[in-house]
Amino acid sequence: MPESDASVTPVTFPPAFLWGAATSAYQIEGAVREDGRTPSIWDTFSHTPGKTAGGETGDIAVDHYHRYREDVALMAELGLTAYRFSVSWSRVQPTGRGPAVQRGLDFYRRLVDELLAHGIKPAITLYHWDLPQELEDAGGWPERDTAFRFAEYARIVGEALGDRVEQWITLNEPWCSAFLGYGSGVHAPGRTDPAASLRAAHHLNLAHGLGAAALRSVTPARSAVAVSLNSSVVRTASQDPADLAAGRKIDDLANGVFHGPMLSGAYPETLFAATSSITDWSYVRDADLETIHQPLDALGLNYYTPTLVSAATAKDASDRRADGHGASAYSPWPGADDVAFHHIPGHRTEMGWTIDPSGLHELIMRYTREAPGLPLYVTENGAAYDDKPDPDGQVHDAERIAYLHGHLSAVRRAIADGADVRGYYLWSLMDNFEWAYGYGKRFGAVYVDYATLARTPKSSAHWYGRAARTGVLPPVEG
């Protein structure tokens, strides 16, 4: 039976399993010029003509900065037990250097206190793509100094909130920061330099290691430090050696470039070989890998859809960049021009991503094997659909419920197969600014009317809330 079908046997989760939702600062907060905040790379990028759908920006987003109490009350009403959010670096440290702006930190203090008062466990992501613009002006992630600035910032936030927050995530999806931001240019800062994207990847790794050490130096021993990776489930079109080689190349660029140094203390040698015409990796200095290879307390996995590749042929030229990460004349895969990406058959979300819960099970089991003993969290999983209110003002999103049932069933199956998965964070709590897609893609369990900013829980929010309160997946709606 496919994972998306309701089963006669109830799907029951362990009592301590965390039922969360996730957001990021630039996508929801708004208030971009208040209380000392200065522009991030996403402010600059979204205000650059042609970079986002309709020229839309996160200037107001969904105004969470002013409505956070309402939003936390909604989480509690739904029965969530955890909330993963990110801190805006330029709200806390406007230039990316020097002392903190206490007004910025005060917002996060108030938010954490509100969550705790409602019995919701906060999980902080320190970096969700919004580098202070002044640091980008100084070179951004391709520059080594940015990693040390991140460590300083991590220390500041850890000192301010470590007495109340136990779950910490250094980076969210560093692959996107490096390769969409500096390779294909579809994300901020919009640069298209393959060598810079690889340098950025290394310095993001270094930032993770330095940031993890900084957090541990100022937070209590009970704190858990993790990272969230959007590791790809890479499948090949055939078992032909050329296709398998293409799969290995993409696996190195999608996964090994981060989990290699973070989990094993080494980059894949095959990655060095595949990118040797682009960079000599001389920026990897002595002791960097030891710094990056910090012991983790948990690993966050973000999953949406698998990736299907093959060795490229002439007929694949038009499909070579059909990788689901946005249209660009430039590839986010340095050194992989000989790889073709293929559309996977099956039902799709509004993002054009094929729905395949088996990929989430596969991803969890991979890290169960490769990092035995390391607790896992699904820190992002969800779907965009063209949600609209009914005449009665309610939003019935049966497709999202089926999606969640399928993917949560895959998580439960992984637990039964021996994986130590301790929580699931739905992406996203509510509709918001979806990066270069503007406000056109709705991932939220809560519908946001962008004209009034009124929040309306969708059917999926109520469904997910029942799962959170009972630990049992409700049936899928007909």
Side-chain angles (χ1 to χ4, degrees), residues 161-186:
L161 298 170
D163 60 332
R164 285 161 284 183
V165 176
E166 295 181 6
Q167 287 195 312
W168 295 88
I169 294 166
T170 54
L171 308 175
N172 177 77
E173 299 186 356
W175 186 88
C176 296
S177 298
F179 297 109
L180 300 183
Y182 294 92
S184 67
V186 299

Side-chain angles (χ1 to χ4, degrees), residues 366-452:
R366 173 179 182 169
Y367 284 96
T368 297
R369 292 188 303 271
E370 296 188 3
L374 187 63
L376 304 175
Y377 291 85
V378 178
T379 41
E380 280 188 31
N381 176 240
Y385 289 107
D386 187 19
D387 302 315
K388 293 182 175 65
D390 289 346
D392 62 359
Q394 300 303 304
V395 182
H396 299 290
D397 56 339
E399 289 178 305
R400 185 173 287 104
I401 291 173
Y403 181 100
L404 292 176
H405 191 285
H407 287 77
L408 281 162
S409 296
V411 172
R412 185 63 184 89
R413 184 159 60 90
I415 294 172
D417 290 342
D420 184 10
V421 186
R422 299 190 181 181
Y424 175 95
Y425 291 85
L426 167 65
W427 186 270
S428 175
L429 173 66
M430 54 191 162
D431 297 332
N432 53 48
F433 177 76
E434 186 49 40
W435 307 114
Y437 293 96
Y439 295 94
K441 306 295 184 185
R442 293 182 178 269
F443 275 89
V446 174
Y447 181 87
V448 177
D449 181 329
Y450 293 127
T452 65

Side-chain angles (χ1 to χ4, degrees), residues 10 102 120 162 171 206 239 291 302 306 473:
Q102 292 302 317
I120 298 170
L171 308 175
L206 185 60
Q239 294 300 300
T291 299
N302 296 359
L473 299 188

